[in-house]
Amino acid sequence: MLVGLGHRRELQAWIASRPPEIGCIELTAEHFFGAVPGSGQRELLASLRAAYPLMVHGLGLSLGTPGPLDQETLRSFADVVAAADPLWISEHIAFTRTSAVDLGHLNPVAHTPQTLALVADHARALMDRCQKPLILENIATHLRLPGSMAEPEFLNRLCERAGCGLLLDVTNLYVNSRNHRFDPLVWLAALEPRHVVQLHVVGCTFQDGRWHDLHAEPIQREIRALANEVLARAPVRAVILERDARFPAPEVLAAELASLAEVPCPST
């Protein structure tokens, strides 16, 4: 199992030093959109590709928006994938735009057969364009839309219909379980473990009376325990530590990565 972290500008020097605790790197596709010769971005992609196994993670393809995928965004995403040659690609089960407006953040989709068909069609279109395996991520949300199936059933059926896997964000699952008051272990028991390819994990933040996934805290004990539950059930191939704010010293991140690598998981 690979253990690594998401590439961020603040961590770039440490990543370039090739610490042994970093076994892979997840690139946010949008951070490399529009990379041109001489900008340094293409050179950075080339150096990362030479040094680490890579994954490319998208934020804005909006797989839950009706109609065809936005062609400009899809083209930019595919360009990053071609340059990075990742093990797999990933996106969120969400919508981020309407036909006229970019909403600027991830929004939930209703768990209905109609949405299932829409997201599955978009997932297959993305795989066809990029010629890479795709995994889809559950999001954290303060809004619960009415639907005809529970989220684990929706995820199971989506993977089967689209021929993709899951990027299970353990922190998002924990945050949703606290805010919407359900048992995450019951949720996990309903999920088909063979679909889980990768995990995201980071600490969560309690703010204004609710839990948030701000990627700004060390991994709390409860989230680590939930991650261990997933690793005991599923043939996870990679775990990515996410951090976007309040970056600690490299040795602190190295210790978190080392601890994540300690838990064995079923063989793939």
Side-chain angles (χ1 to χ4, degrees), residues 5-209:
L5 77 167
H7 182 273
R8 303 294 184 267
R9 177 176 49 82
E10 293 85 350
L11 302 173
Q12 191 167 304
W14 183 51
I15 291 170
S17 73
R18 298 290 302 275
E21 294 84 4
I22 301 179
C24 59
I25 293 291
E26 182 181 77
L27 306 174
T28 299
E30 283 78 2
H31 293 174
F32 294 89
F33 279 10
V36 296
S39 68
Q41 292 292 78
R42 284 195 176 184
E43 292 78 6
L44 176 58
L45 273 175
S47 66
L48 290 169
R49 176 177 173 175
Y52 294 102
L54 300 178
M55 302 87 172
V56 171
H57 186 51
L59 298 173
L61 280 166
S62 199
L63 303 184
T65 298
L69 292 172
D70 180 80
Q71 292 304 298
E72 182 178 350
T73 306
L74 180 57
R75 186 181 307 110
S76 295
F77 186 94
D79 286 346
V80 175
V81 172
D85 190 24
L87 299 176
W88 56 77
I89 59 177
S90 59
E91 246 292 357
H92 299 82
I93 303 167
F95 74 90
T96 60
R97 67 175 75 219
T98 69
S99 59
V101 178
D102 188 337
L103 302 173
H105 59 88
L106 300 168
N107 301 279
V109 299
H111 298 144
T112 65
Q114 294 80 11
T115 305
L116 178 68
L118 171 69
V119 176
D121 285 349
H122 283 164
R124 287 193 297 267
L126 180 56
M127 285 187 283
D128 287 346
R129 178 61 180 270
C130 294
Q131 292 297 296
K132 290 289 182 180
L134 171 68
I135 57 177
L136 298 178
E137 180 180 358
N138 57 305
I139 70 168
T141 176
H142 296 291
L143 176 66
R144 299 190 80 175
L145 299 179
S148 57
M149 62 188 88
E151 186 176 26
E153 179 187 358
F154 183 88
L155 297 178
N156 290 337
R157 292 175 61 181
L158 176 58
C159 287
E160 294 289 348
R161 181 159 181 165
C164 66
L166 286 180
L167 194 177
L168 180 57
D169 191 309
V170 177
T171 306
N172 287 349
L173 172 57
Y174 180 79
V175 164
N176 287 342
S177 75
R178 295 301 302 267
N179 288 335
H180 302 303
R181 300 183 180 181
F182 65 85
D183 187 337
L185 296 181
V186 172
W187 190 100
L188 277 179
L191 188 71
E192 175 53 62
R194 63 187 172 87
H195 294 314
V196 183
V197 175
Q198 180 186 322
L199 304 185
H200 275 171
V201 62
V202 69
C204 60
T205 303
F206 188 71
Q207 183 175 289
D208 300 326

